[in-house]
Every structure is written in C-alpha cells, then in structure tokens.
Amino acid sequence: MILHSPDSLRLSSFELRWLAEALRRREERSGPLEDREAVAAACTAGGGLEARVLRRAQVLGEREGLAAGVTSWVGRARLATLLLGALALASGFGAAVAVLGDGTRAVNVVWALGGLLGIHLLSLLLWLAGLGLGGRDGGGLLGRAWLGLSSRLSGARETVDVTQALVGLLGPPRLLRWWLGAVTHGVWLAALAGAVVGLIVTLATRRYGFVWETTILPADAFVRAVRLVGGLPAQFGFAMPDAEAVRASGDAVQSGEAARIAWSSWLLGCVVAYGVVPRLFLASVCFGLWRSGRSRLRIDVALPGYAVLVPRLMPASERIGVTDADPGRMPGPHVEGRRSGGTGRAMLVALELAGQADWPPPLPPGASDAGVVDSREDRKQAVAALRADPPARLLVACDARQSPDRGSLELIAELSRHANDSRVLLVGAGQMDAGDRRQHWRDGLRGIGMASERVDDNPARALAWLGATEREDG
C-alpha cells in the first residue's frame, strides 16, 4: 500500500519503511523531532502500529527532507547502475578484442579462454564462498562498489542517513545480499555480453588461426580437455573441433576454413555457456529473491526508536465520534419527558471534559455527578447506568471550544432518551477560542431535536435548573 497526500512524494511501501528507518536513526542520534502534526495525521489514518509509524515517518520525512533524500538516492542508484553497466559492456568488448589481437599472430586458445573467463570464474567462486560462509552481505565486490558509488554521487548528510538506514533495514532479514548480488551478476552479465559481441564482431571481420602450446603435456590431454570443456556449449548448438583438428593445432596454425570456424565456435560457446548463462541465471535468482523478500519486509516495531511511539500512536482510549460537517437527522431526545421507574434524581454528565481542572463544579442538593465520558467504554457505562435508573433531569456538559461531531450528538440524543427532561450546558463558551462554535453546537443540537431554549452557556443558570424541584419546573 502507498500512503500519500496530494502534495506528498509518492513512495512505495518499501521506500516508506526505508524512510521510517532513516528517521528512527536520525532521532536516536539527534533527539526526538516535534511531531504533533505527524502523530495526529497517523492517528487519523488509523490502521495498525506499523501503518501509523509509516504515516508519521512520511509527514516528518517530507518536512525534514529525508523523503526527498530517499527518492534522490534511488535516482542516483539507477544512474550508478547505468554507468557501471556501460563501463562493463565496454570493458568486455575491449577484452575480447585484446585477447584475439589484430590477426597478425595466431590465437592461443588456452590463453584466450583464460583471459575471457578467468576473472569471471574466480569472482563467481568468491561470491559463492561468501554466500556459503554467511558473510556480512554476500553481495560481492561489484555490489559493494555500486552501493558506494550510489552514496558518493551526493555528499549531503541526508545521503549518509539514507544509506545507513538502507543497510540497517535490509541487514537483519539478509535481503541486502540478494539486492547487491543481483547488481553484481547484472554487471558481470553486461561485461560478458560485451565480450560475446566483441568476439562476434572481431571474428567476423578478421581472419584468425588457432593453436595450443605445451612442453610437458601430450596431445591427447588437450583432445580430452577440449572435448570436456566443449561438451556443455555443444548442447547449445556450438561446434567443437574434432580430435584431428586439435592435434594438428598443436603442431602448426590451422589454415583450413573448417578448423578456424570450429575453434571460433568453440571459443564463443565457452564464453556463453560458462559466462553469460550462469550470470543470467544467478542475476535472475537474486532479483527474484530480492523482490519476494521486499514484499514481505516489515519494520521491527520492537526497536526502542519505535517502541517509544506506541503510547501516542496507539493510545489506550481515543476521542469518541468522528468530526462531520453535516450530522444529519438523528433520533432526538424525549424533551416532552416521560415518567419512569427510576429514583427521579437529577444527574450531571460531561462529554470529553477530562482536562478541565475545575470540573466538576459544586452541585445543588439532590444532584449527582455521573463523571466524564471520554471513551467508548465510558459511553457504554453511562448509557447502562441511565437505562437502569433513569433520572428526572439530566444536564449534559460539552466543551464549547470544540466543534460538535456526529458521535457527540448521537451520544447526547441517546442519553436524553433515558431522562424525563434534559438540557445541554456549553462549558467555556465565553472564552476567546470558543469562537463561533456555540452557534455550531446550537445548530447541531437543533438537528437532533434539542430546542434552543434547552441549550445554555451559563453554568449557574444550568445548575440551578438541575437542582430545581419538579414542581418548580412544571
């Protein structure tokens, strides 16, 4: 899933986790960032802990420049891949031309094959050994060179954070070895493909003779070696010189066309079978393992940098209701009153006023305080209490500095249905930050059937009504 806002950078799921890791490392090094807006955005987006961590990271990463650092790092990595690939392709082509020479001298097939495949086979064995021994990343020298080049194309501090975060994120699940392995084998594949192209072009435009030379080995040893090495290329359709041609090449340069074509095909087939095919296979395997592991990658929310965010991103209780500009028509309270089987007491209940230092106020005789409803569990308890013992009068206190939302209005309607008479007190309506919200409250309450005369912003008057007798009210 990709989380983004209209003005945000479009980051993939992997890039978001990468960004979260970079942000975690920066906060551990430099201290926590101011994140009230980011935490609010994360809680609004909802989801599990990881989804909220990623949303917070996205908001802070865009503000701090880390998100741009991730996207620019990806762009530089692609540029580094193109540069290394082009260099490898040119190097392979040049190596093929250098091994064959200008045609004035015979080509020693042993040295030619060793020059084209020797370093490749050695690096392949080293990569396999590193993979089997469980090295740090198993990505190979070319992979680490690519990683270093991608990082050094820009010297910004964000680049260092982003690179370290990438290594830290991919290290524990051992995904870095597959990513760097795919790069290593891809670069080698480009070099060997360049060698194949160089061989084809050079062999097609120049005439070469092929020989083998030895002082201590018999001719039959070379016949067996050529046949053994050429067996696999022959499966791909490449030709192989026969035993007589091999023996004759040990005595003098073969001038016959058939012998030259057979040696050329044998040499080209060896480069394809023992060079191009293994690298293509390993590059595909590494890339497939990297893609598969990346799709299952998750951040470790148990790390200290993430664990400290749990109380704020996953609070034990959240404000009830969902803010909505149009609460619509909902069942209204029974303002006409009804006699119930309760004790006929007067009751005060508050909605989301836990932060009021002077709450509850002194109550008139005979009135009781039902507490503050600030969570869904509180709501259930308050409704159950009123259903079991309906009050004669119910005063619901609300914070006038907050905009009315659908959840609050529904709760007021539900509580009022269990009282003979009910009113609403807007607490803090006289403060500056209440603004025009008093009228919003009156409009919303009117929408659920609460008449304007039953909405009061004077605490003394509302409490006096709560303590009045039925006769005075009648």
Side-chain angles (χ1 to χ4, degrees):
M1 180 180 63
I2 299 177
L3 302 172
H4 62 86
S5 62
D7 299 326
S8 66
L9 295 172
R10 300 178 69 90
L11 300 178
S12 66
S13 298
F14 167 68
E15 290 169 341
L16 278 174
R17 292 178 174 88
W18 183 0
L19 174 60
E21 180 66 13
L23 186 66
R24 180 186 72 83
R25 288 173 174 267
R26 171 174 288 191
E27 288 188 303
E28 287 184 350
R29 185 184 68 249
S30 305
L33 298 170
E34 197 286 315
D35 63 351
R36 282 179 296 179
E37 180 182 352
V39 169
C43 292
T44 301
L49 177 58
E50 187 194 42
R52 299 190 184 199
V53 169
L54 295 182
R55 178 57 180 157
R56 172 185 180 271
Q58 184 181 25
V59 174
L60 291 180
E62 291 177 359
R63 190 188 75 190
E64 300 295 321
L66 282 175
V70 169
T71 56
S72 63
W73 198 100
V74 172
R76 291 193 301 271
R78 290 171 180 165
L79 177 60
T81 303
L82 290 176
L83 291 176
L84 283 178
L87 180 62
L89 190 67
S91 299
F93 188 95
V97 173
V99 163
L100 293 180
D102 58 3
T104 59
R105 299 180 60 183
V107 177
N108 188 312
V109 293
V110 177
W111 285 105
L113 189 60
L116 292 172
L117 294 180
I119 299 178
H120 147 70
L121 292 175
L122 178 62
S123 69
L124 184 58
L125 291 175
L126 290 176
W127 182 83
L128 291 173
L131 190 67
L133 295 175
R136 184 182 63 177
D137 52 55
L141 292 176
L142 283 176
R144 288 193 290 273
W146 168 82
L147 185 63
L149 179 60
S150 301
S151 302
R152 286 177 174 78
L153 286 176
S154 174
R157 178 69 206 182
E158 287 77 9
T159 301
V160 178
D161 290 334
V162 167
T163 304
Q164 292 176 348
L166 175 65
V167 175
L169 179 65
L170 299 180
R174 308 181 79 81
L175 286 179
L176 188 62
R177 62 169 54 193
W178 303 126
W179 193 3
L180 297 186
V183 173
T184 294
H185 298 306
V187 173
W188 268 110
L189 179 61
L192 292 164
V196 170
V197 173
L199 285 174
I200 293 174
V201 171
T202 308
L203 290 171
T205 56
R206 290 176 180 171
R207 183 188 297 273
Y208 291 96
F210 297 89
V211 298
W212 56 268
E213 298 173 333
T214 184
T215 301
I216 61 175
L217 295 177
D220 288 341
F222 272 92
V223 172
R224 288 192 295 271
V226 170
R227 185 174 301 169
L228 178 64
V229 174
L232 181 59
Q235 302 301 315
F236 294 95
F238 292 95
M240 182 168 52
D242 57 24
E244 292 302 322
V246 174
R247 289 190 178 94
S249 297
D251 298 328
V253 178
Q254 293 294 297
S255 58
E257 182 179 357
R260 290 196 304 269
I261 292 176
W263 278 116
S264 299
S265 181
W266 179 85
L267 183 62
L268 185 61
C270 288
V271 175
V272 171
Y274 300 112
V276 173
V277 172
R279 291 294 183 177
L280 178 61
F281 173 76
L282 290 174
S284 301
V285 169
C286 288
F287 186 73
L289 290 173
W290 153 246
R291 289 289 299 270
S292 176
R294 186 182 68 177
S295 65
R296 299 191 304 268
L297 182 66
R298 299 293 183 269
I299 60 174
D300 185 2
V301 293
L303 291 173
Y306 298 131
V308 297
L309 301 175
V310 174
R312 291 185 294 133
L313 293 180
M314 302 292 289
S317 63
E318 300 181 42
R319 304 190 73 84
I320 60 174
V322 179
T323 301
D324 194 329
D326 182 13
R329 299 290 299 176
M330 288 177 280
H334 296 281
V335 295
E336 298 301 327
R338 61 179 176 82
R339 295 304 172 188
S340 65
T343 58
R345 57 178 176 165
M347 181 180 294
L348 171 67
V349 62
L351 268 60
E352 301 177 348
L353 287 179
Q356 295 282 342
D358 55 350
W359 192 265
L363 297 180
S368 61
D369 176 28
V372 178
V373 177
D374 198 33
S375 67
R376 289 179 175 83
E377 186 61 31
D378 294 339
R379 173 175 180 157
K380 293 178 182 178
Q381 294 177 0
V383 173
L386 266 66
R387 185 183 295 114
D389 189 6
R393 295 191 176 194
L394 175 67
L395 179 61
V396 182
C398 304
D399 192 344
R401 296 168 300 178
Q402 299 181 17
S403 297
D405 56 61
R406 178 177 296 174
S408 297
L409 294 173
E410 286 181 344
L411 178 57
I412 293 172
E414 187 172 9
L415 294 175
S416 299
R417 287 197 297 272
H418 297 290
N420 290 342
D421 197 359
S422 59
R423 291 193 179 186
V424 173
L425 169 63
L426 299 179
V427 179
Q431 299 182 23
M432 294 292 294
D433 55 355
D436 297 328
R437 293 188 179 92
R438 286 176 296 176
Q439 188 58 43
H440 294 165
W441 273 104
R442 293 181 182 276
D443 292 342
L445 291 169
R446 189 181 302 110
I448 63 171
M450 179 73 74
S452 298
E453 60 268 18
R454 297 191 178 275
V455 181
D456 206 334
D457 56 15
N458 187 308
R461 187 167 53 227
L463 291 173
W465 170 84
L466 185 65
T469 64
E470 275 189 40
R471 186 171 185 179
E472 291 170 338
D473 186 51

